Each structure stands twice: as structure tokens, then as C-alpha cells.
Amino acid sequence: MPATQPSASPTQQADGLVIAVDGPAASGKGTLARRLAAHYGLPYLDTGLLYRMVARTMLDAGKALDDAQAATASAAGFDDAAIDESRLRGREIGEAASVVAAIPAVRRALIDRQRRFAAAGEGAVLDGRDIGTVICPEATVKLFVTATPEVRAARRHKELAGRGEAATLDGILADIRRRDARDSGRGDAPLKAAEDAVQLDTSALGVEEAFQAALAIVEDRRRG
Ligand SMILES: Nc1ncnc2c1ncn2[C@@H]1O[C@H](COP(=O)(O)OP(=O)(O)O)[C@@H](O)[C@H]1O
Ligand SMILES: Nc1ccn([C@@H]2O[C@H](COP(=O)(O)OP(=O)(O)O)[C@@H](O)[C@H]2O)c(=O)n1
């Protein structure tokens, strides 16, 4: 499983805390989810990697991304240990993942492993598109992380450049808009905030400021 195990010295007791973090591409949800998991000493699951893994398997096998049968077999069949994040972070795979993620049978095939992860221990942090709405509707806290498309494109552009992947800012912005439309427009588990999610716009926040804002939301919810 592409999960991070609890940090050795969490700064807070977790007490069965389940944190659902959803939002569009490059909004900063993974960065926040990872920090929250370390803070509370909780395991973390980046569910986007599961869809990226299905896409990678399809591309490696030369299959068309809209081949629902092959994509569903990939989703049901891959071994968690085979997930190699370094092969899944590229621009092409993000786009391909959003195509296979629109296939309902692919989503169904991935539900159980995500729910098992959330229920396995004394709490968990998961990030994705449908954690608060479908995977963990009973999560203690739901965050819906946003930022403007321009800010998200700039962040992703910098990230990809750091990985040595050349791309124009305009090209990345177009990718992000296309992916937003596909993820929000699909019939099954579209990207949207759960009714009880708290929205966090990180457009004007640095990493540390966004983390402090998220922490305040979580603590507020925990206090009830
Ligand atoms: N608040 C922020 N300010 C500036 N850069 C950020 C912020 N949050 C995340 N980033 C950077 O933006 C990129 C995308 O963040 P990430 O957490 O992977 O987004 P997501 O999981 O939503 O796709 C990463 O390179 C990350 O370091
Ligand atoms: N829970 C999830 C997670 C990802 N996905 C899909 O997988 C794609 C890649 O997700 P990701 O979280 O790795 O992408 P980024 O937000 O990091 O760019 C998304 O565009 C979605 O189409 C999903 O449908 N549901």
C-alpha cells in the first residue's frame, strides 16, 4: 500500500481520528495530508496513487485507457507492493489516471482497499477526490482543499520542473482545467466537497500557513 506509517513521535494523541482530505489537482492536499498524518502519528494513504497505478499498468500494457474491462482487471489485480511512486508522478500519468478514474467499475474495484486502510488502526489520513463523500463518509474531519487554477498550475509547474519534466506553464494550466472538468463532471463519485466538509483555500497560503489553518480546523472539529 502506498502509505506512510506513523511518525515515531507524534505530537498529539489521535484517538481514532479519521481525516478526509479532498480537492482538485495540485491544490496542496497531499502536502497537508502528509503533515497532518505526521502530526497525529497516523498512517497516510494517497489514494490518487491507486488510480495512477491503474493508468500506468494500462499504458505499460499498450491498452486503450477507455478499455473498461482491462482497466477494471488492473484495478482489482495489482499488488500494493508493486506501487512505485517514482513511476507514477509524471504529467502524463495524472491525465491518464483521471480517464480510468471515470470508469465506475474501476472505482468499485478500489473501494475496499481504501476502506480497509481507513479502518485498520487507531485512525488514518486519506487524500483524494471522494474520501469525504464515498470512501469515509463518517470521517471525523473533512477538509476540501482548493486554490485557483493559476496558483495550482504554478505549483505543479515548479514541481515537475524539479523532477526534470519540461512543460510550459500554459500547458500545465490547460491540463489542470481539463482534469478539473473531467473529475468534477463524471457521474460516479465526482470531485466535490461533502456537505459537512470545511473548505480551505490555500491560494494565498504558504505550506506552513496552510498546515496551521488545517490544524486549526481539525482541532476545532475534534472539540466538537
Ligand atoms: N500552500 C502551498 N504553497 C506553495 N506550494 C505548495 C503549497 N502546498 C503544496 N505546495 C506544492 O505544490 C505542489 C503540489 O502539492 P501537492 O500537495 O502534491 O498537491 P495535490 O496533492 O493536491 O496534488 C507540490 O510541489 C507542493 O510542494
Ligand atoms: N480518490 C481519488 C483520487 C484520485 N482520483 C483520480 O486520480 C487522478 C490523479 O489523482 P492525484 O490525487 O494523484 O492527482 P493530483 O491531485 O496529485 O494531481 C485524479 O485526477 C482523479 O481523476 C480519483 O478519482 N479519486
Side-chain angles (χ1 to χ4, degrees):
M1 188 60 81
T4 305
Q5 289 311 307
S7 69
S9 52
T11 48
Q12 294 291 318
Q13 283 295 311
D15 297 331
L17 175 65
V18 174
I19 305 176
V21 185
D22 290 301
S27 55
K29 61 191 177 300
T31 302
L32 277 178
R34 227 174 248 110
R35 283 285 298 272
L36 288 168
H39 181 82
Y40 289 108
L42 292 171
Y44 162 59
L45 179 61
D46 174 350
T47 67
L49 285 181
L50 305 178
Y51 294 91
R52 286 172 182 262
M53 183 66 184
V54 175
R56 177 83 269 166
T57 308
M58 296 289 284
L59 293 175
D60 285 351
K63 303 273 189 198
L65 292 171
D66 61 355
D67 180 340
Q69 209 176 344
T72 307
S74 300
F78 71 80
D79 186 349
D80 295 337
I83 293 177
D84 173 3
E85 193 171 344
S86 67
R87 293 193 70 226
L88 301 177
R89 280 285 166 223
R91 182 180 177 190
E92 180 198 22
I93 300 296
E95 173 70 16
S98 97
V99 175
V100 298
I103 301 170
V106 167
R107 304 199 71 82
R108 278 198 299 280
L110 293 174
I111 283 179
D112 279 354
R113 57 174 108 192
Q114 295 173 77
R115 289 195 177 144
R116 273 199 306 274
F117 184 90
E122 291 303 306
V125 183
L126 293 86
D127 86 326
R129 301 292 186 290
D130 61 343
I131 308 303
T133 52
V134 174
I135 302 298
C136 301
E138 309 298 330
T140 326
V141 189
K142 300 177 185 177
L143 287 167
F144 194 79
V145 183
T146 61
T148 65
E150 290 77 11
V151 166
R152 291 188 280 129
R155 288 177 184 168
R156 186 56 36 99
H157 184 253
K158 191 172 166 194
E159 176 189 334
L160 290 174
R163 292 167 39 86
E165 192 169 339
T168 66
L169 187 56
D170 282 353
I172 303 275
L173 181 57
D175 283 1
I176 278 190
R177 290 192 193 282
R178 191 170 51 248
R179 200 130 71 87
D180 283 355
R182 192 185 292 118
D183 289 350
S184 306
R186 69 186 175 218
D188 192 17
L191 165 67
K192 68 171 184 198
E195 274 179 21
D196 52 349
V198 181
Q199 304 247 1
L200 176 57
D201 184 340
T202 69
S203 304
L205 304 179
V207 170
E208 183 60 29
E209 289 170 311
F211 172 63
Q212 292 302 331
L215 201 53
I217 292 166
V218 174
E219 285 299 311
D220 191 51
R221 284 284 158 128
R222 287 179 89 199
R223 280 194 297 268

PDB file of all heavy atoms in Angstrom, residues 23-27 29 94-95 98 129 144-150 152-153 172-186 190-192:
ATOM      1  N   GLY A  23      -9.786  17.424  -2.849  1.00  0.00           N
ATOM      2  CA  GLY A  23      -9.583  18.675  -3.573  1.00  0.00           C
ATOM      3  C   GLY A  23      -9.049  18.403  -4.962  1.00  0.00           C
ATOM      4  O   GLY A  23      -8.684  17.266  -5.296  1.00  0.00           O
ATOM      5  N   PRO A  24      -8.991  19.447  -5.789  1.00  0.00           N
ATOM      6  CA  PRO A  24      -8.530  19.285  -7.167  1.00  0.00           C
ATOM      7  C   PRO A  24      -7.008  19.156  -7.260  1.00  0.00           C
ATOM      8  O   PRO A  24      -6.293  19.332  -6.263  1.00  0.00           O
ATOM      9  CB  PRO A  24      -9.021  20.573  -7.853  1.00  0.00           C
ATOM     10  CG  PRO A  24      -9.071  21.585  -6.758  1.00  0.00           C
ATOM     11  CD  PRO A  24      -9.434  20.823  -5.509  1.00  0.00           C
ATOM     12  N   ALA A  25      -6.536  18.904  -8.472  1.00  0.00           N
ATOM     13  CA  ALA A  25      -5.109  18.664  -8.722  1.00  0.00           C
ATOM     14  C   ALA A  25      -4.252  19.828  -8.247  1.00  0.00           C
ATOM     15  O   ALA A  25      -4.556  20.992  -8.517  1.00  0.00           O
ATOM     16  CB  ALA A  25      -4.893  18.444 -10.218  1.00  0.00           C
ATOM     17  N   ALA A  26      -3.176  19.491  -7.551  1.00  0.00           N
ATOM     18  CA  ALA A  26      -2.155  20.452  -7.109  1.00  0.00           C
ATOM     19  C   ALA A  26      -2.691  21.542  -6.182  1.00  0.00           C
ATOM     20  O   ALA A  26      -2.110  22.620  -6.082  1.00  0.00           O
ATOM     21  CB  ALA A  26      -1.433  21.064  -8.307  1.00  0.00           C
ATOM     22  N   SER A  27      -3.766  21.243  -5.486  1.00  0.00           N
ATOM     23  CA  SER A  27      -4.290  22.212  -4.508  1.00  0.00           C
ATOM     24  C   SER A  27      -3.454  22.208  -3.230  1.00  0.00           C
ATOM     25  O   SER A  27      -3.570  23.106  -2.398  1.00  0.00           O
ATOM     26  CB  SER A  27      -5.756  21.899  -4.181  1.00  0.00           C
ATOM     27  OG  SER A  27      -5.894  20.555  -3.749  1.00  0.00           O
ATOM     28  N   LYS A  29      -3.329  19.224  -1.310  1.00  0.00           N
ATOM     29  CA  LYS A  29      -3.962  18.292  -0.355  1.00  0.00           C
ATOM     30  C   LYS A  29      -2.995  17.215   0.128  1.00  0.00           C
ATOM     31  O   LYS A  29      -3.028  16.843   1.297  1.00  0.00           O
ATOM     32  CB  LYS A  29      -5.237  17.681  -0.943  1.00  0.00           C
ATOM     33  CG  LYS A  29      -5.002  16.891  -2.187  1.00  0.00           C
ATOM     34  CD  LYS A  29      -6.301  16.525  -2.889  1.00  0.00           C
ATOM     35  CE  LYS A  29      -5.978  15.798  -4.171  1.00  0.00           C
ATOM     36  NZ  LYS A  29      -5.165  16.570  -5.126  1.00  0.00           N
ATOM     37  N   GLY A  94      -0.912  11.563 -14.535  1.00  0.00           N
ATOM     38  CA  GLY A  94      -2.012  12.276 -13.879  1.00  0.00           C
ATOM     39  C   GLY A  94      -3.224  12.374 -14.792  1.00  0.00           C
ATOM     40  O   GLY A  94      -4.370  12.119 -14.391  1.00  0.00           O
ATOM     41  N   GLU A  95      -2.963  12.707 -16.024  1.00  0.00           N
ATOM     42  CA  GLU A  95      -4.039  12.821 -17.021  1.00  0.00           C
ATOM     43  C   GLU A  95      -4.688  11.443 -17.258  1.00  0.00           C
ATOM     44  O   GLU A  95      -5.917  11.301 -17.245  1.00  0.00           O
ATOM     45  CB  GLU A  95      -3.415  13.375 -18.313  1.00  0.00           C
ATOM     46  CG  GLU A  95      -4.315  13.411 -19.517  1.00  0.00           C
ATOM     47  CD  GLU A  95      -5.420  14.445 -19.421  1.00  0.00           C
ATOM     48  OE1 GLU A  95      -5.326  15.342 -18.565  1.00  0.00           O
ATOM     49  OE2 GLU A  95      -6.392  14.329 -20.194  1.00  0.00           O
ATOM     50  N   SER A  98      -6.983  10.217 -14.505  1.00  0.00           N
ATOM     51  CA  SER A  98      -8.327  10.800 -14.432  1.00  0.00           C
ATOM     52  C   SER A  98      -9.251  10.175 -15.467  1.00  0.00           C
ATOM     53  O   SER A  98     -10.473  10.158 -15.281  1.00  0.00           O
ATOM     54  CB  SER A  98      -8.270  12.332 -14.511  1.00  0.00           C
ATOM     55  OG  SER A  98      -8.490  12.815 -15.784  1.00  0.00           O
ATOM     56  N   ARG A 129     -10.276  12.444  -4.054  1.00  0.00           N
ATOM     57  CA  ARG A 129     -11.370  13.241  -4.613  1.00  0.00           C
ATOM     58  C   ARG A 129     -12.709  12.916  -3.964  1.00  0.00           C
ATOM     59  O   ARG A 129     -13.614  13.727  -3.948  1.00  0.00           O
ATOM     60  CB  ARG A 129     -11.517  12.968  -6.123  1.00  0.00           C
ATOM     61  CG  ARG A 129     -10.287  13.271  -6.968  1.00  0.00           C
ATOM     62  CD  ARG A 129     -10.035  14.759  -7.013  1.00  0.00           C
ATOM     63  NE  ARG A 129      -8.942  15.140  -7.912  1.00  0.00           N
ATOM     64  CZ  ARG A 129      -7.652  14.894  -7.718  1.00  0.00           C
ATOM     65  NH1 ARG A 129      -7.266  14.256  -6.624  1.00  0.00           N
ATOM     66  NH2 ARG A 129      -6.741  15.302  -8.583  1.00  0.00           N
ATOM     67  N   PHE A 144     -11.822  20.211   2.434  1.00  0.00           N
ATOM     68  CA  PHE A 144     -11.852  20.330   0.974  1.00  0.00           C
ATOM     69  C   PHE A 144     -10.907  21.460   0.612  1.00  0.00           C
ATOM     70  O   PHE A 144     -11.164  22.625   0.888  1.00  0.00           O
ATOM     71  CB  PHE A 144     -13.272  20.604   0.466  1.00  0.00           C
ATOM     72  CG  PHE A 144     -13.388  20.395  -1.019  1.00  0.00           C
ATOM     73  CD1 PHE A 144     -13.502  19.126  -1.553  1.00  0.00           C
ATOM     74  CD2 PHE A 144     -13.359  21.480  -1.889  1.00  0.00           C
ATOM     75  CE1 PHE A 144     -13.583  18.925  -2.931  1.00  0.00           C
ATOM     76  CE2 PHE A 144     -13.447  21.287  -3.268  1.00  0.00           C
ATOM     77  CZ  PHE A 144     -13.565  20.011  -3.785  1.00  0.00           C
ATOM     78  N   VAL A 145      -9.772  21.063   0.044  1.00  0.00           N
ATOM     79  CA  VAL A 145      -8.663  21.993  -0.192  1.00  0.00           C
ATOM     80  C   VAL A 145      -8.741  22.526  -1.625  1.00  0.00           C
ATOM     81  O   VAL A 145      -8.833  21.739  -2.580  1.00  0.00           O
ATOM     82  CB  VAL A 145      -7.314  21.264   0.019  1.00  0.00           C
ATOM     83  CG1 VAL A 145      -6.149  22.222  -0.145  1.00  0.00           C
ATOM     84  CG2 VAL A 145      -7.273  20.612   1.390  1.00  0.00           C
ATOM     85  N   THR A 146      -8.705  23.841  -1.755  1.00  0.00           N
ATOM     86  CA  THR A 146      -8.774  24.444  -3.089  1.00  0.00           C
ATOM     87  C   THR A 146      -7.643  25.453  -3.260  1.00  0.00           C
ATOM     88  O   THR A 146      -6.956  25.830  -2.300  1.00  0.00           O
ATOM     89  CB  THR A 146     -10.109  25.182  -3.313  1.00  0.00           C
ATOM     90  OG1 THR A 146     -10.207  26.240  -2.348  1.00  0.00           O
ATOM     91  CG2 THR A 146     -11.295  24.260  -3.184  1.00  0.00           C
ATOM     92  N   ALA A 147      -7.478  25.901  -4.493  1.00  0.00           N
ATOM     93  CA  ALA A 147      -6.626  27.051  -4.835  1.00  0.00           C
ATOM     94  C   ALA A 147      -7.022  27.392  -6.271  1.00  0.00           C
ATOM     95  O   ALA A 147      -7.595  26.545  -6.978  1.00  0.00           O
ATOM     96  CB  ALA A 147      -5.142  26.707  -4.747  1.00  0.00           C
ATOM     97  N   THR A 148      -6.744  28.597  -6.699  1.00  0.00           N
ATOM     98  CA  THR A 148      -7.130  28.968  -8.066  1.00  0.00           C
ATOM     99  C   THR A 148      -6.374  28.089  -9.064  1.00  0.00           C
ATOM    100  O   THR A 148      -5.259  27.613  -8.776  1.00  0.00           O
ATOM    101  CB  THR A 148      -6.792  30.439  -8.361  1.00  0.00           C
ATOM    102  OG1 THR A 148      -5.367  30.586  -8.328  1.00  0.00           O
ATOM    103  CG2 THR A 148      -7.442  31.383  -7.366  1.00  0.00           C
ATOM    104  N   PRO A 149      -6.949  27.914 -10.254  1.00  0.00           N
ATOM    105  CA  PRO A 149      -6.236  27.118 -11.272  1.00  0.00           C
ATOM    106  C   PRO A 149      -4.856  27.687 -11.571  1.00  0.00           C
ATOM    107  O   PRO A 149      -3.896  26.920 -11.755  1.00  0.00           O
ATOM    108  CB  PRO A 149      -7.154  27.216 -12.499  1.00  0.00           C
ATOM    109  CG  PRO A 149      -8.518  27.446 -11.931  1.00  0.00           C
ATOM    110  CD  PRO A 149      -8.312  28.292 -10.703  1.00  0.00           C
ATOM    111  N   GLU A 150      -4.726  29.007 -11.585  1.00  0.00           N
ATOM    112  CA  GLU A 150      -3.419  29.618 -11.903  1.00  0.00           C
ATOM    113  C   GLU A 150      -2.383  29.285 -10.828  1.00  0.00           C
ATOM    114  O   GLU A 150      -1.230  28.969 -11.132  1.00  0.00           O
ATOM    115  CB  GLU A 150      -3.569  31.142 -12.040  1.00  0.00           C
ATOM    116  CG  GLU A 150      -4.337  31.594 -13.273  1.00  0.00           C
ATOM    117  CD  GLU A 150      -5.862  31.420 -13.146  1.00  0.00           C
ATOM    118  OE1 GLU A 150      -6.356  31.132 -12.027  1.00  0.00           O
ATOM    119  OE2 GLU A 150      -6.549  31.549 -14.174  1.00  0.00           O
ATOM    120  N   ARG A 152      -2.473  26.718  -8.783  1.00  0.00           N
ATOM    121  CA  ARG A 152      -2.206  25.272  -8.842  1.00  0.00           C
ATOM    122  C   ARG A 152      -1.269  24.936 -10.003  1.00  0.00           C
ATOM    123  O   ARG A 152      -0.361  24.112  -9.863  1.00  0.00           O
ATOM    124  CB  ARG A 152      -3.520  24.495  -8.952  1.00  0.00           C
ATOM    125  CG  ARG A 152      -4.327  24.575  -7.658  1.00  0.00           C
ATOM    126  CD  ARG A 152      -5.531  23.664  -7.679  1.00  0.00           C
ATOM    127  NE  ARG A 152      -6.661  24.207  -8.405  1.00  0.00           N
ATOM    128  CZ  ARG A 152      -7.326  23.578  -9.356  1.00  0.00           C
ATOM    129  NH1 ARG A 152      -6.974  22.354  -9.713  1.00  0.00           N
ATOM    130  NH2 ARG A 152      -8.351  24.140  -9.942  1.00  0.00           N
ATOM    131  N   ALA A 153      -1.498  25.617 -11.143  1.00  0.00           N
ATOM    132  CA  ALA A 153      -0.623  25.367 -12.305  1.00  0.00           C
ATOM    133  C   ALA A 153       0.810  25.777 -11.984  1.00  0.00           C
ATOM    134  O   ALA A 153       1.763  25.063 -12.325  1.00  0.00           O
ATOM    135  CB  ALA A 153      -1.143  26.131 -13.518  1.00  0.00           C
ATOM    136  N   ILE A 172       0.440  23.283 -18.553  1.00  0.00           N
ATOM    137  CA  ILE A 172       0.028  22.709 -17.256  1.00  0.00           C
ATOM    138  C   ILE A 172      -1.339  23.275 -16.846  1.00  0.00           C
ATOM    139  O   ILE A 172      -2.186  22.539 -16.327  1.00  0.00           O
ATOM    140  CB  ILE A 172       1.053  23.066 -16.147  1.00  0.00           C
ATOM    141  CG1 ILE A 172       2.447  22.587 -16.530  1.00  0.00           C
ATOM    142  CG2 ILE A 172       0.624  22.506 -14.801  1.00  0.00           C
ATOM    143  CD1 ILE A 172       2.763  21.191 -16.208  1.00  0.00           C
ATOM    144  N   LEU A 173      -1.538  24.568 -17.094  1.00  0.00           N
ATOM    145  CA  LEU A 173      -2.837  25.174 -16.753  1.00  0.00           C
ATOM    146  C   LEU A 173      -3.950  24.501 -17.560  1.00  0.00           C
ATOM    147  O   LEU A 173      -5.023  24.193 -17.016  1.00  0.00           O
ATOM    148  CB  LEU A 173      -2.796  26.688 -17.012  1.00  0.00           C
ATOM    149  CG  LEU A 173      -4.069  27.458 -16.677  1.00  0.00           C
ATOM    150  CD1 LEU A 173      -4.482  27.280 -15.215  1.00  0.00           C
ATOM    151  CD2 LEU A 173      -3.882  28.955 -16.979  1.00  0.00           C
ATOM    152  N   ALA A 174      -3.681  24.249 -18.832  1.00  0.00           N
ATOM    153  CA  ALA A 174      -4.690  23.567 -19.666  1.00  0.00           C
ATOM    154  C   ALA A 174      -4.961  22.162 -19.132  1.00  0.00           C
ATOM    155  O   ALA A 174      -6.117  21.725 -19.052  1.00  0.00           O
ATOM    156  CB  ALA A 174      -4.209  23.516 -21.120  1.00  0.00           C
ATOM    157  N   ASP A 175      -3.909  21.448 -18.730  1.00  0.00           N
ATOM    158  CA  ASP A 175      -4.075  20.105 -18.127  1.00  0.00           C
ATOM    159  C   ASP A 175      -4.990  20.179 -16.907  1.00  0.00           C
ATOM    160  O   ASP A 175      -5.888  19.350 -16.719  1.00  0.00           O
ATOM    161  CB  ASP A 175      -2.739  19.573 -17.566  1.00  0.00           C
ATOM    162  CG  ASP A 175      -1.794  19.052 -18.626  1.00  0.00           C
ATOM    163  OD1 ASP A 175      -2.134  19.096 -19.803  1.00  0.00           O
ATOM    164  OD2 ASP A 175      -0.690  18.594 -18.217  1.00  0.00           O
ATOM    165  N   ILE A 176      -4.705  21.172 -16.065  1.00  0.00           N
ATOM    166  CA  ILE A 176      -5.432  21.279 -14.798  1.00  0.00           C
ATOM    167  C   ILE A 176      -6.909  21.580 -15.044  1.00  0.00           C
ATOM    168  O   ILE A 176      -7.794  20.972 -14.428  1.00  0.00           O
ATOM    169  CB  ILE A 176      -4.733  22.334 -13.906  1.00  0.00           C
ATOM    170  CG1 ILE A 176      -3.547  21.651 -13.228  1.00  0.00           C
ATOM    171  CG2 ILE A 176      -5.678  22.977 -12.903  1.00  0.00           C
ATOM    172  CD1 ILE A 176      -2.876  22.422 -12.134  1.00  0.00           C
ATOM    173  N   ARG A 177      -7.170  22.474 -15.979  1.00  0.00           N
ATOM    174  CA  ARG A 177      -8.574  22.791 -16.293  1.00  0.00           C
ATOM    175  C   ARG A 177      -9.292  21.580 -16.875  1.00  0.00           C
ATOM    176  O   ARG A 177     -10.444  21.300 -16.534  1.00  0.00           O
ATOM    177  CB  ARG A 177      -8.637  23.956 -17.280  1.00  0.00           C
ATOM    178  CG  ARG A 177      -8.209  25.294 -16.688  1.00  0.00           C
ATOM    179  CD  ARG A 177      -8.599  26.415 -17.659  1.00  0.00           C
ATOM    180  NE  ARG A 177      -7.986  27.689 -17.333  1.00  0.00           N
ATOM    181  CZ  ARG A 177      -8.388  28.517 -16.372  1.00  0.00           C
ATOM    182  NH1 ARG A 177      -9.411  28.170 -15.600  1.00  0.00           N
ATOM    183  NH2 ARG A 177      -7.775  29.661 -16.163  1.00  0.00           N
ATOM    184  N   ARG A 178      -8.605  20.836 -17.742  1.00  0.00           N
ATOM    185  CA  ARG A 178      -9.234  19.655 -18.360  1.00  0.00           C
ATOM    186  C   ARG A 178      -9.502  18.599 -17.283  1.00  0.00           C
ATOM    187  O   ARG A 178     -10.560  17.970 -17.235  1.00  0.00           O
ATOM    188  CB  ARG A 178      -8.294  19.110 -19.452  1.00  0.00           C
ATOM    189  CG  ARG A 178      -8.915  18.057 -20.346  1.00  0.00           C
ATOM    190  CD  ARG A 178      -8.042  17.737 -21.554  1.00  0.00           C
ATOM    191  NE  ARG A 178      -6.670  17.438 -21.186  1.00  0.00           N
ATOM    192  CZ  ARG A 178      -5.615  18.211 -21.467  1.00  0.00           C
ATOM    193  NH1 ARG A 178      -5.755  19.328 -22.120  1.00  0.00           N
ATOM    194  NH2 ARG A 178      -4.393  17.860 -21.078  1.00  0.00           N
ATOM    195  N   ARG A 179      -8.547  18.409 -16.411  1.00  0.00           N
ATOM    196  CA  ARG A 179      -8.694  17.389 -15.355  1.00  0.00           C
ATOM    197  C   ARG A 179      -9.794  17.793 -14.364  1.00  0.00           C
ATOM    198  O   ARG A 179     -10.602  16.964 -13.947  1.00  0.00           O
ATOM    199  CB  ARG A 179      -7.356  17.169 -14.647  1.00  0.00           C
ATOM    200  CG  ARG A 179      -7.261  15.866 -13.910  1.00  0.00           C
ATOM    201  CD  ARG A 179      -6.002  15.131 -14.260  1.00  0.00           C
ATOM    202  NE  ARG A 179      -4.797  15.743 -13.726  1.00  0.00           N
ATOM    203  CZ  ARG A 179      -4.301  15.514 -12.515  1.00  0.00           C
ATOM    204  NH1 ARG A 179      -4.945  14.732 -11.670  1.00  0.00           N
ATOM    205  NH2 ARG A 179      -3.162  16.050 -12.141  1.00  0.00           N
ATOM    206  N   ASP A 180      -9.834  19.079 -14.003  1.00  0.00           N
ATOM    207  CA  ASP A 180     -10.913  19.565 -13.122  1.00  0.00           C
ATOM    208  C   ASP A 180     -12.271  19.234 -13.737  1.00  0.00           C
ATOM    209  O   ASP A 180     -13.182  18.768 -13.049  1.00  0.00           O
ATOM    210  CB  ASP A 180     -10.850  21.093 -12.970  1.00  0.00           C
ATOM    211  CG  ASP A 180      -9.750  21.566 -12.021  1.00  0.00           C
ATOM    212  OD1 ASP A 180      -9.089  20.712 -11.392  1.00  0.00           O
ATOM    213  OD2 ASP A 180      -9.569  22.790 -11.907  1.00  0.00           O
ATOM    214  N   ALA A 181     -12.404  19.533 -15.038  1.00  0.00           N
ATOM    215  CA  ALA A 181     -13.702  19.336 -15.706  1.00  0.00           C
ATOM    216  C   ALA A 181     -14.056  17.850 -15.718  1.00  0.00           C
ATOM    217  O   ALA A 181     -15.197  17.468 -15.424  1.00  0.00           O
ATOM    218  CB  ALA A 181     -13.640  19.888 -17.131  1.00  0.00           C
ATOM    219  N   ARG A 182     -13.069  17.003 -16.013  1.00  0.00           N
ATOM    220  CA  ARG A 182     -13.359  15.561 -16.080  1.00  0.00           C
ATOM    221  C   ARG A 182     -13.680  15.018 -14.689  1.00  0.00           C
ATOM    222  O   ARG A 182     -14.641  14.274 -14.496  1.00  0.00           O
ATOM    223  CB  ARG A 182     -12.174  14.812 -16.698  1.00  0.00           C
ATOM    224  CG  ARG A 182     -12.533  13.382 -17.062  1.00  0.00           C
ATOM    225  CD  ARG A 182     -11.333  12.580 -17.557  1.00  0.00           C
ATOM    226  NE  ARG A 182     -10.823  13.018 -18.821  1.00  0.00           N
ATOM    227  CZ  ARG A 182      -9.581  13.502 -19.003  1.00  0.00           C
ATOM    228  NH1 ARG A 182      -8.739  13.603 -17.999  1.00  0.00           N
ATOM    229  NH2 ARG A 182      -9.167  13.870 -20.190  1.00  0.00           N
ATOM    230  N   ASP A 183     -12.889  15.415 -13.693  1.00  0.00           N
ATOM    231  CA  ASP A 183     -13.082  14.875 -12.335  1.00  0.00           C
ATOM    232  C   ASP A 183     -14.392  15.375 -11.718  1.00  0.00           C
ATOM    233  O   ASP A 183     -15.055  14.643 -10.977  1.00  0.00           O
ATOM    234  CB  ASP A 183     -11.903  15.268 -11.426  1.00  0.00           C
ATOM    235  CG  ASP A 183     -10.613  14.527 -11.780  1.00  0.00           C
ATOM    236  OD1 ASP A 183     -10.655  13.587 -12.591  1.00  0.00           O
ATOM    237  OD2 ASP A 183      -9.552  14.898 -11.239  1.00  0.00           O
ATOM    238  N   SER A 184     -14.754  16.619 -12.022  1.00  0.00           N
ATOM    239  CA  SER A 184     -15.990  17.169 -11.441  1.00  0.00           C
ATOM    240  C   SER A 184     -17.218  16.723 -12.210  1.00  0.00           C
ATOM    241  O   SER A 184     -18.320  16.662 -11.653  1.00  0.00           O
ATOM    242  CB  SER A 184     -15.961  18.703 -11.456  1.00  0.00           C
ATOM    243  OG  SER A 184     -14.809  19.163 -10.819  1.00  0.00           O
ATOM    244  N   GLY A 185     -17.040  16.421 -13.501  1.00  0.00           N
ATOM    245  CA  GLY A 185     -18.188  16.141 -14.353  1.00  0.00           C
ATOM    246  C   GLY A 185     -18.573  14.685 -14.439  1.00  0.00           C
ATOM    247  O   GLY A 185     -19.639  14.357 -14.958  1.00  0.00           O
ATOM    248  N   ARG A 186     -17.754  13.772 -13.927  1.00  0.00           N
ATOM    249  CA  ARG A 186     -18.086  12.346 -14.084  1.00  0.00           C
ATOM    250  C   ARG A 186     -19.300  11.992 -13.227  1.00  0.00           C
ATOM    251  O   ARG A 186     -19.564  12.624 -12.196  1.00  0.00           O
ATOM    252  CB  ARG A 186     -16.877  11.472 -13.751  1.00  0.00           C
ATOM    253  CG  ARG A 186     -16.500  11.489 -12.309  1.00  0.00           C
ATOM    254  CD  ARG A 186     -15.211  10.714 -12.036  1.00  0.00           C
ATOM    255  NE  ARG A 186     -14.835  10.875 -10.655  1.00  0.00           N
ATOM    256  CZ  ARG A 186     -13.594  11.004 -10.208  1.00  0.00           C
ATOM    257  NH1 ARG A 186     -12.574  10.979 -11.048  1.00  0.00           N
ATOM    258  NH2 ARG A 186     -13.355  11.145  -8.931  1.00  0.00           N
ATOM    259  N   PRO A 190     -18.006  12.082  -8.334  1.00  0.00           N
ATOM    260  CA  PRO A 190     -17.306  13.263  -8.862  1.00  0.00           C
ATOM    261  C   PRO A 190     -16.578  14.020  -7.757  1.00  0.00           C
ATOM    262  O   PRO A 190     -16.918  13.889  -6.582  1.00  0.00           O
ATOM    263  CB  PRO A 190     -18.438  14.118  -9.435  1.00  0.00           C
ATOM    264  CG  PRO A 190     -19.658  13.704  -8.685  1.00  0.00           C
ATOM    265  CD  PRO A 190     -19.467  12.245  -8.362  1.00  0.00           C
ATOM    266  N   LEU A 191     -15.587  14.793  -8.185  1.00  0.00           N
ATOM    267  CA  LEU A 191     -14.886  15.678  -7.247  1.00  0.00           C
ATOM    268  C   LEU A 191     -15.867  16.725  -6.743  1.00  0.00           C
ATOM    269  O   LEU A 191     -16.376  17.535  -7.519  1.00  0.00           O
ATOM    270  CB  LEU A 191     -13.740  16.373  -7.987  1.00  0.00           C
ATOM    271  CG  LEU A 191     -13.125  17.587  -7.285  1.00  0.00           C
ATOM    272  CD1 LEU A 191     -12.392  17.162  -6.022  1.00  0.00           C
ATOM    273  CD2 LEU A 191     -12.172  18.308  -8.236  1.00  0.00           C
ATOM    274  N   LYS A 192     -16.163  16.666  -5.462  1.00  0.00           N
ATOM    275  CA  LYS A 192     -16.982  17.722  -4.851  1.00  0.00           C
ATOM    276  C   LYS A 192     -16.816  17.662  -3.338  1.00  0.00           C
ATOM    277  O   LYS A 192     -16.469  16.619  -2.780  1.00  0.00           O
ATOM    278  CB  LYS A 192     -18.463  17.596  -5.240  1.00  0.00           C
ATOM    279  CG  LYS A 192     -19.152  16.394  -4.681  1.00  0.00           C
ATOM    280  CD  LYS A 192     -20.653  16.481  -4.940  1.00  0.00           C
ATOM    281  CE  LYS A 192     -21.317  15.290  -4.277  1.00  0.00           C
ATOM    282  NZ  LYS A 192     -22.637  14.994  -4.739  1.00  0.00           N
TER     283      LYS A 192
END
